[in-house]
Amino acid sequence: MESLHPRVRLLWVLSTIIQASVLGVIAYLVDRFAVSLPQWAIVVGWVVLVFLGVAHAIAAHRIWRFDLQDDALFLLRGVVTRTDTSVPYVRVQHVDTTRGPVERAIGLASVVVYTAGTRGADITIPGLRPERATELREQLRDLAKESEATDAV
């Protein structure tokens, strides 16, 4: 099974720092305009959130795996709740590569696989080198086409 690029940990840590900082600003504004909070509590809260985010990023990177099997894309992920997902190629509708601003800054990309179904019928594979993301998108597209031809509907 293939793992994600190690720089994805940096992406996840930066995301955690941004989210913890937004919560810190909200706590500061609550302290300033509504209820008085000890400033040490805001700082300790921020540090705890960042520490937990870093630990989660390290654990998630260690667990996250994917594999192109004969008839399906298989994914293994989840820190607290482990999720094994098998996406039959015949269910793949289309595949995108995405690169947000932070991903571009650290040289990563994601592949988004949209499947036939209802709400939440998409799978994202984060933390890939842009070349690998493009290659994977093309492989998935080709495998979906091949499986469509052999689908007995």
Side-chain angles (χ1 to χ4, degrees), residues 96-100 103-104 108-112 114 124-125 133:
D96 292 337
T97 54
T98 61
R99 295 186 73 199
E103 284 178 308
R104 283 193 307 270
L108 294 177
S110 296
V111 171
V112 183
Y114 297 92
T124 300
I125 303 172

Side-chain angles (χ1 to χ4, degrees), residues 39-94:
Q39 292 200 346
W40 64 265
I42 296 171
V43 172
V44 167
W46 185 87
V47 169
V48 166
L49 286 175
V50 170
F51 176 78
L52 291 173
V54 168
H56 185 270
I58 292 168
H61 178 261
R62 197 171 334 138
I63 294 165
W64 232 111
R65 300 277 184 272
F66 69 94
D67 189 28
L68 296 178
Q69 298 177 338
D70 291 337
D71 61 346
L73 168 64
F74 183 76
L75 300 105
L76 175 62
R77 62 199 188 283
V79 175
V80 177
T81 302
R82 297 280 169 95
T83 304
D84 297 352
T85 304
S86 182
V87 180
Y89 299 130
V90 72
R91 303 288 291 169
V92 173
Q93 296 293 306
H94 67 280

Side-chain angles (χ1 to χ4, degrees), residues 127-147:
L128 301 171
R129 290 180 336 277
E131 306 81 36
R132 178 62 181 129
T134 300
E135 176 186 323
L136 182 59
R137 182 192 69 213
E138 297 303 315
Q139 285 178 308
L140 287 167
R141 184 198 64 194
D142 293 344
L143 289 165
K145 278 185 186 177
E146 288 173 20
S147 69

